[in-house]
């Protein structure tokens, strides 16, 4: 029965037998977690559902590229995050705004929105510039809300190592964003 197999065992079994049961089991294990990750990025339930569907299609077609250097869940979350960010960037490039004389300008809310957008873009650039392992650890902690102990289990690290790496990664992100260094 595939329910009791590890993710990696299911992947091996799927690759050798093309058993849809294995992929279905992986899907059932992770669909809600991927959806929550997509929702936290998109803030749109329908878009998150579409992205989740697309991500699993992508995973299904690329399962043979999983090399086992990290856990399957870490690999899946990295693909999910990158896919969502890529789709949002693509949508922004394609979005056009019609300018009319009747446009109502609210400088305070527009300025705040522009500042927020700038900070989000800056953070996204910094996150893509740091080591993938550092970015993944920060995403697991702050996007997924996983406790340090769970991150340690997923990454096969002691809690003290996770805490230190999170601290170093946060400091690196703050430094790259130009924010003052402070304890979090």
């Amino acid at each position: 029965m595939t329910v009791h197999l590890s993710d990696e065992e299911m992947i091996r079994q799927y690759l050798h037998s093309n058993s849809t049961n294995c992929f279905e089991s992986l899907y059932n294990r992770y669909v809600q977690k991927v959806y929550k990750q997509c929702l936290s990025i998109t803030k749109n339930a329908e878009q998150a559902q579409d992205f989740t569907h697309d991500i699993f299609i992508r995973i299904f077609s690329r399962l043979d590229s999983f090399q086992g250097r990290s856990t399957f869940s870490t690999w899946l979350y990295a693909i999910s995050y990158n896919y969502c960010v890529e789709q949002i960037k693509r949508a922004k490039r394609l979005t056009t705004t019609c300018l009319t004389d009747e446009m109502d300008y609210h400088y305070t809310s527009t300025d705040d929105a522009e500042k927020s957008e700038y900070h989000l873009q800056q953070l996204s650039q910094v996150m893509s510039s740091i080591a993938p392992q550092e970015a993944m650890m920060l995403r697991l902690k702050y996007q997924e809300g996983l406790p340090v102990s769970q991150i340690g289990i997923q990454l096969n690290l002691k809690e003290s190592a996770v805490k230190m790496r999170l601290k170093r990664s946060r400091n690196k992100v703050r430094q790259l964003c130009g924010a003052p260094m402070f304890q979090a």
Side-chain angles (χ1 to χ4, degrees):
M1 182 168 234
T2 57
V3 176
H4 301 293
L5 295 176
S6 72
D7 298 339
E8 292 73 16
E9 291 169 328
M10 274 195 264
I11 292 168
R12 280 192 292 278
Q13 188 173 346
Y14 169 77
L15 292 173
H16 292 303
S17 67
N18 260 354
S19 167
T20 56
N21 290 341
C22 295
F23 190 78
E24 185 178 340
S25 293
L26 287 172
Y27 176 84
N28 290 334
R29 279 185 191 177
Y30 291 103
V31 67
Q32 285 302 314
K33 292 177 183 177
V34 170
Y35 172 77
K36 286 178 185 176
Q37 182 181 24
C38 293
L39 185 59
S40 75
I41 296 168
T42 65
K43 310 292 189 237
N44 178 308
E46 188 174 313
Q47 191 175 42
Q49 196 170 25
D50 290 343
F51 284 5
T52 300
H53 178 72
D54 295 343
I55 288 164
F56 276 98
I57 290 173
R58 183 174 279 199
I59 293 296
F60 186 70
S61 66
R62 296 181 181 177
L63 206 51
D64 60 339
S65 68
F66 175 69
Q67 298 175 352
R69 284 188 247 154
S70 62
T71 63
F72 173 74
S73 60
T74 300
W75 184 72
L76 175 61
Y77 294 144
I79 289 173
S80 300
Y81 176 81
N82 291 334
Y83 181 83
C84 290
V85 169
E86 175 187 316
Q87 294 305 310
I88 290 169
K89 284 180 182 177
R90 183 175 292 154
K92 284 181 182 178
R93 283 194 308 261
L94 298 176
T95 302
T96 57
T97 305
C98 180
L99 297 176
T100 66
D101 293 339
E102 297 129 26
M103 241 180 173
D104 186 19
Y105 295 98
H106 298 285
Y107 291 105
T108 55
S109 63
T110 303
D111 290 345
D112 290 343
E114 287 176 1
K115 284 180 185 177
S116 293
E117 179 64 28
Y118 170 77
H119 290 299
L120 287 173
Q121 287 177 353
Q122 186 181 28
L123 181 59
S124 178
Q125 288 174 342
V126 167
M127 289 295 287
S128 64
S129 72
I130 64 176
Q133 188 74 359
E134 292 173 319
M136 178 56 58
M137 195 173 288
L138 289 170
R139 286 186 193 105
L140 289 172
K141 175 70 177 159
Y142 297 106
Q143 281 184 337
E144 293 297 316
L146 293 180
V148 171
S149 60
Q150 185 64 35
I151 296 170
I153 291 168
Q154 282 198 6
L155 301 177
N156 199 23
L157 296 170
K158 292 182 179 180
E159 284 187 42
S160 59
V162 172
K163 288 177 185 177
M164 183 52 72
R165 290 180 187 188
L166 279 169
K167 180 180 187 293
R168 288 178 184 157
S169 298
R170 280 193 307 265
N171 288 343
K172 183 184 278 188
V173 168
R174 281 189 197 106
Q175 184 179 21
L176 292 170
C177 285
M181 299 299 277
F182 58 89
Q183 283 297 88

